[in-house]
Amino acid sequence: MNFQQSELTQQVAHTARDFANQYIKPHLMEWDESQEFPLHIFKAMGKLGLMGVFVPEQYGGSGMGYFEYNVAIQEIAKVCGSIGLSLAAHNSLCTGHILAFGNEEQKQKYLPKLASAEYLGAWGLTEANTGSDAGNMKTTAVKDGNDWILNGTKNWITHGKSGDIAVVICRTGEPRAKDNCTAFVVERGTPGFSGGKKENKLGMRASETAEMIFDNCRIPDANRLGEIGAGFKQSMKVLDGGRISIAALSLGIAKGAYEASLQYSQERYQFDQPISNFQGISFKLADMATEIAAAELLIHQACYLKMAGKPMTKEAAMAKYYASEVAVKVSTDAVQIFGGYGYTKDFPVEKFYRDSKLCTIGEGTSEIQKIVISREVLR
């Protein structure tokens, strides 16, 4: 493994950092307070190539890899976790699923529009009563001639209302039966497909999270992704890559909170000296720096294995689990370092604190990551 960033990776990081500071930072609290989903920001990122990082150039994408994707999400999340989350969901889940399992016609049809952000992507697996119990999902797809009829509701879906297309996993077999789920692409505007309740969240408030409702939604068999019954297996592979993106999101939030704390500790004076001189503060900063470095190495390992085409289920789960827990710990300590100011919206760490918690829940909770890791180590 080479730990030196390539010139391309550095360029992507620089581009994402400049964009975040110029176009996101001035508005992030406004969007957070109003829960506005700033669609125009994603259109602008599409022009920079950040909405089709993995998509090959032949389909209008950037044709880059996980190292570039990792730093792009980190730099955006260092400023705003909400925008980083939506960037990750669009790239890893919706676009990533079509790229990995779509046929040539489907790739030609959807990938160019996703890569340019003409289309915003959503991905629907989770339901209200079947979060991690996906084999028992209630959303069904029933074959009717050359069509499928979809019925049910998906919950907690990023871009559930605003997404132009969604990859949706539906049950096509009996509950809990083997290979009982199939993936489909559903376009916004299809009769019977609508957005439902938008969630009022603790953090990540500028990233839209909403229901997707299917009421006798008829789609052609041409919208099926891969074989009938392969949806769950496809989803697990998509989530392996998705966990790297949530790890990167977590790391960006942790770095943002740490950098703010480091600067504040050197500017804030008590007893005629900067508070960074006090061991209680300096030791917190030492822990933050160490845990961030460890999370970054785990992510680097997962990216390396992913790019090499090697198995990385365990490593991706480790990176996601550890980095998300680090994000929560670092942002909590950041609020403590800021003291009373850290509890106000005049300083950035309260937002890092609120945003960080989702990272331990989305794309598999920390507990689910432990199940994945333990299964792998006990093989």
Side-chain angles (χ1 to χ4, degrees):
M1 292 174 63
N2 181 4
F3 295 96
Q4 181 65 41
Q5 285 188 346
S6 70
E7 184 177 347
L8 176 60
T9 303
Q10 292 177 42
Q11 289 174 349
V12 171
H14 181 77
T15 298
R17 186 183 312 124
D18 283 354
F19 181 86
N21 285 318
Q22 184 173 353
Y23 296 105
I24 299 173
K25 192 171 185 177
H27 307 287
L28 63 91
M29 289 311 297
E30 169 194 339
W31 297 335
D32 183 80
E33 290 287 323
S34 66
Q35 301 193 62
E36 176 185 349
F37 177 60
L39 184 59
H40 67 282
I41 287 294
F42 299 94
K43 301 292 186 182
M45 286 197 290
K47 293 178 181 178
L48 293 176
L50 296 178
M51 297 293 277
V53 177
F54 306 127
V55 177
E57 293 180 9
Q58 70 189 86
Y59 302 117
S62 300
M64 295 186 288
Y66 268 81
F67 290 108
E68 291 74 39
Y69 181 50
N70 169 36
V71 297
I73 291 180
Q74 277 189 53
E75 293 297 338
I76 297 295
K78 279 169 67 174
V79 173
C80 182
S82 295
I83 308 303
L85 174 63
S86 280
L87 178 65
H90 174 92
N91 274 285
S92 287
L93 300 181
C94 180
T95 305
H97 199 135
I98 295 171
L99 179 61
F101 299 105
N103 58 37
E104 186 60 26
E105 183 180 350
Q106 291 164 339
K107 291 178 182 179
Q108 292 281 0
K109 183 177 181 180
Y110 296 118
L111 292 180
K113 293 182 178 180
L114 287 165
S116 67
E118 179 183 343
Y119 278 3
L120 184 70
W123 192 77
L125 175 66
T126 306
E127 298 179 5
N129 295 314
T130 56
S132 301
D133 185 16
N136 196 34
M137 67 176 61
K138 301 297 187 287
T139 300
T140 59
V142 177
K143 192 79 183 295
D144 182 34
N146 289 323
D147 296 337
W148 293 86
I149 300 175
L150 278 54
N151 281 287
T153 301
K154 295 294 182 178
N155 295 73
W156 301 299
I157 307 303
T158 305
H159 313 146
K161 292 173 75 77
S162 296
D164 297 288
I165 65 167
V167 173
V168 185
I169 294 84
C170 302
R171 182 164 56 79
T172 49
E174 294 300 314
R176 301 196 191 286
K178 185 178 180 182
D179 300 330
N180 69 342
C181 299
T182 305
F184 302 89
V185 178
V186 187
E187 300 181 35
R188 186 69 62 187
T190 303
F193 175 33
S194 62
K197 174 190 174 187
K198 179 181 177 180
E199 303 296 341
N200 183 7
K201 308 192 298 291
L202 169 71
M204 303 290 197
R205 289 165 63 82
S207 176
E208 180 187 275
T209 305
E211 293 177 324
M212 293 195 302
I213 300 170
F214 302 92
D215 182 11
N216 289 319
C217 176
R218 181 181 291 270
I219 59 172
D221 187 57
N223 285 35
R224 173 170 48 85
L225 288 167
E227 298 299 320
I228 297 172
F232 184 75
K233 290 178 180 177
Q234 291 176 7
S235 298
M236 293 304 99
K237 291 180 181 178
V238 168
L239 285 172
D240 276 348
R243 284 166 182 156
I244 295 176
S245 69
I246 300 302
L249 175 69
S250 304
L251 185 59
I253 291 171
K255 284 184 174 181
Y258 166 72
E259 290 174 8
S261 300
L262 185 63
Q263 180 179 344
Y264 180 81
S265 72
Q266 294 168 313
E267 296 173 350
R268 170 72 165 168
Y269 271 65
Q270 293 284 275
F271 304 100
D272 303 318
Q273 57 185 310
I275 62 172
S276 58
N277 285 358
F278 299 111
Q279 195 175 79
I281 301 298
S282 64
F283 277 17
K284 283 188 187 299
L285 293 168
D287 284 340
M288 288 175 168
T290 302
E291 289 160 356
I292 285 171
E296 192 151 30
L297 288 170
L298 282 170
I299 295 169
H300 192 98
Q301 175 182 236
C303 288
Y304 169 79
L305 292 172
K306 180 69 175 177
M307 293 303 297
K310 297 180 179 180
M312 37 69 77
T313 297
K314 178 184 70 176
E315 289 77 10
M318 285 179 168
K320 195 273 186 187
Y321 165 54
Y322 186 75
S324 64
E325 295 291 341
V326 164
V328 173
K329 183 177 184 300
V330 167
S331 60
T332 301
D333 284 345
V335 172
Q336 198 71 17
I337 289 172
F338 273 75
Y341 291 115
Y343 205 65
T344 72
K345 293 184 182 293
D346 295 328
F347 290 85
V349 291
E350 69 84 28
K351 184 175 184 299
F352 288 126
Y353 179 70
R354 289 185 290 109
D355 287 349
S356 67
K357 189 57 194 168
L358 183 66
C359 298
T360 69
I361 298 170
E363 294 199 35
T365 63
S366 291
E367 291 73 22
I368 289 295
Q369 304 312 313
K370 290 180 183 181
I371 290 174
V372 173
I373 295 164
S374 62
R375 283 175 177 169
E376 292 295 314
V377 300
L378 291 170
R379 280 179 182 268

